[in-house]
Amino acid sequence: MSGESDQPQAGPSRAGLDPRRPEGYRAAVSEGVTGGAVAQGPRSWIQKVLQQIKGSPLQWVTPSEVVPVAVLAVQRYLLESEPRDTVRKPPLYCYDVTISDGVYREKCYLDPRLNFLVYKNILKVGIQMKIFRVSCLYNEKRLGQGILCMDHVLCGETLETISLETPFRNSAHQEIPERPLRGGKSHYLALWNNEDPYGDIWLTDKQPEEHNFNNTKIISLSHLEMTWNSRRKFPALLVRILHKSRLRYYGKPGKDTIEPYQIFLEVADRSGMVSVIMWNALCPQWYKSLQVGLVLLLQDYSVKKTYPLRMRPLPVDPQMKPISTMEVSLNLRDPPTNISIIPERQVKPEWRLPKFKHHFLTRSELDDMPEKEICDIVGILVFVGRVQRSKKKENSEDFWSHRWIHIADGTSEQLFVVNLFSTSQPEIFENICPMTYFMCTQLKVVRNDTQVPKVLYLTTTNESHVFITDRRSQLCANDIKVKNFIRWIKTKTDSGEKKTSVIGGYYPYPPVPKTFSKYRSSIKVGSLLTAISEVRKQVEDLQYREQKRIAIQGIITVIKYIPHSRATESASASETLRDGNRPSTSQTAERESQSQEIDGKQQENGSTSSRCSQTTYTSVSPTKKKRIVQGEYTKLIVLPQPETSAQTKGNKPDMPRVFQRSTHTSMHGKARKTISEMWESQLWREKKFDLVEHLHYSCVYPESIPRKFTSEHKDFLIQQYNSQPAKYIPPKERPPKLNDFKSARSLGHFEVTILGLNHERAIDVAFLPMYCPEDVRASQIDTLLTCMNYSCVYPQEESGTEMVPGPRAIAGDIIKAVTELDRMHVVCILDICNLGNNKAEVYLHKIYSPDKI
């Protein structure tokens, strides 16, 4: 590394530290924030900032020159309380951000007050960023060890490509395994959940080894159950793994456990099945190597009384005895457990170890399966939804990651619908795509036959595991149901399946009940209804890819149809506008002069804009201005909101005109076309100029549209609908744009304006009916017509010369149905989701008309 010898040289090297017992701040060691000469070669902005800090009497500096840096990594770990922390209620997690100035890389600590930039996926890998204030943190127990802390930043646009050839200025930052800058933890967590193993501490090199059993005493599980209370030392166990759980992370601030993980295994011998719990540092060593079906020899374990509240999976064989009075505990110490994987060729028949058995279920059999039945499935993926997140608890910082998928197995015209949660297999979960053979174990049936419409789908359990492959030969061909599936798939043509394969987009499932009273009894949240004045806060509080469902009351006053082609053009134009003018995360001095207050004027036809914007609202009274803060050391600024009025837009020829009721233009010709595209109520004309607040959430972003899957751009599509990665991955080639891919929806969408019951506030939302005449199976979600209990002009299979209704015909009927709700008080169910980078979905899922409330 050129110039490294000229860098500050203070503090001892970490080479002699115990990696399991890190001390204090780990980052800056031999190249810490202390003295040093200017390096030769290209001048590094990072070096210049370090020199400024060295010469400053304070612990922070405002860089004399601010230049853009590239973000290469955003990594999360558990925050531990330290003397420097001054936040009253510190967040549970903190973040290290790796930046590059083109000469050096540096790992910096993100001030917890800026964590919201990560929560919203504004600060992410691959972007350009400016840093306006930097402070230095020292570990007072170590000589010269300091790290850079970013206190004030401006997040910019995504860069086309970033070089990974730049070296780390501080060689300690490139040590393996990677360690967090602060605290005593030895590893990073996955960026968006705690279930996925992340980083290089997770080993995969445990291999089966033959064992000499001549001097090994084996005890059966049933004998151990009867005698464990009277034993101090236990003979070895020889068992087969029948179930393996996902990872459980139980870390909390103040706990001194370095790697607080748990794994639950269900193992069995000929006498019964028992739970085995693997703890802490053993988990990174063994989790990825332990697979269902392996035979283990366990020595130097401990035995404890069973924790009574844990739900255990059922034995694979009904004749097998479940042992529920004890559990086996494996730990790195007290005592240090000895684990061996026995190769299958050494397993003797006289041991009579149980065989692992699949319990495959076909789609034709699913309709008769009871609630909570456990099953395995195999099929081909035809739809893969985007990764979404949901909070584990209401006020928690912990999230589940999950996605909806559809699987066909050839036994029914219906598909398996699966809510697939992360199974601690990120290498699979993040690479699932259509046209792939899919197998999943230990799925649970979720059904509600009393609800209208009925609900029937599968969801993962704690012991579920996923297997995907492009080759039929890698499936479990010994099972008759798998053989039948392989026989069926051989009869299918690739072109036919590709035609109906879809990836990503907004997916409104499961459906809500037909009546509001049923909906009320089905939800578990404390507040049933949300006031329109509270919707903006609900949206702004969402974290990246978090999706929620809320209910509001109001009156539908405007509906406008946006055909698919026009919506695509509008979204593309608005993306360009936002990318060129967005001060999305600015609180910098250079942008303060550009901050704008929301215009107080309510413009005519403002509700009918099809322009996409970030969190957009308009107010005509003294309001609390929307503020986005990126550092507590600068002024709060107002987030500029694009105007959405007809005056700002002008009279564009591609925009539908506002429908005006007229006796001579309401039946034929062009007037009929206008009626089919928009309706505006008289009540709206009377009230729209007197609103206190008007929220604009009717934008449909490219990420919200499900796309026809193409294998040629498989990697790009997979990346678009996965979560944001923690580390930058250079693109192999110039990536296409999402709008270049064909939409799986041919109907377009609707913009709907809902006026509050007090006529003081209004909200614009989008409605996306799922309609695909090319594939009737894909048209599974109710249109607005069926939501309001009107007869549906839903596409049916063609018979003879019968024509399938076109998109505009269906759109016209939907708008006609809305006109019959004029001035009625309705309850609207909204799906809201944070797409990241200041983009939010607010989509209409269901309308409860008065007779259904």
Side-chain angles (χ1 to χ4, degrees), residues 182-349:
R182 300 183 66 187
K185 300 304 178 187
S186 66
H187 67 291
Y188 289 106
L189 300 168
L191 186 56
W192 304 113
N193 67 49
N194 288 341
E195 283 66 49
D196 289 341
Y198 171 82
D200 40 29
I201 68 166
W202 298 90
L203 307 179
T204 58
D205 58 352
K206 304 292 186 181
Q207 300 297 326
E209 296 180 359
E210 291 198 3
H211 181 80
N212 185 355
F213 287 92
N214 292 335
N215 298 317
T216 304
K217 184 178 180 180
I218 307 293
I219 187 172
S220 69
L221 292 176
S222 60
H223 190 195
L224 181 65
E225 180 188 24
M226 293 184 292
T227 62
W228 72 271
N229 273 316
S230 59
R231 292 176 178 267
R232 290 188 176 181
K233 191 171 182 179
F234 307 108
L237 293 173
L238 186 64
V239 292
R240 188 185 297 276
I241 302 175
L242 300 183
H243 298 290
K244 171 187 168 184
S245 74
R246 66 163 70 98
L247 277 173
R248 177 177 177 263
Y249 181 78
Y250 65 92
K252 294 180 181 180
K255 300 291 185 180
D256 58 358
T257 306
I258 303 299
E259 290 155 351
Y261 288 99
Q262 269 185 333
I263 303 169
F264 295 92
L265 303 173
E266 300 299 322
V267 302
D269 62 10
R270 61 185 179 183
S271 66
M273 183 178 81
V274 74
S275 294
V276 172
I277 305 177
M278 184 174 288
W279 292 89
N280 304 333
L282 275 183
C283 296
Q285 293 183 25
W286 283 94
Y287 183 78
K288 287 193 171 184
S289 299
L290 296 179
Q291 304 299 332
V292 170
L294 290 180
V295 175
L296 300 181
L297 181 69
L298 305 179
Q299 302 176 82
D300 301 320
Y301 54 87
S302 59
V303 181
K304 298 179 180 179
K305 188 176 181 180
T306 299
Y307 182 67
L309 299 180
R310 189 175 79 86
M311 296 292 294
R312 301 178 59 201
L314 296 174
V316 294
D317 187 341
Q319 304 300 320
M320 187 179 296
K321 174 190 174 184
I323 298 174
S324 57
T325 58
M326 69 173 189
E327 60 189 25
V328 177
S329 183
L330 310 180
N331 214 324
L332 195 63
R333 55 184 180 274
D334 301 327
T337 301
N338 185 357
I339 305 172
S340 302
I341 302 176
I342 305 301
E344 194 65 33
R345 63 178 178 272
Q346 198 180 1
V347 177
K348 298 179 180 180

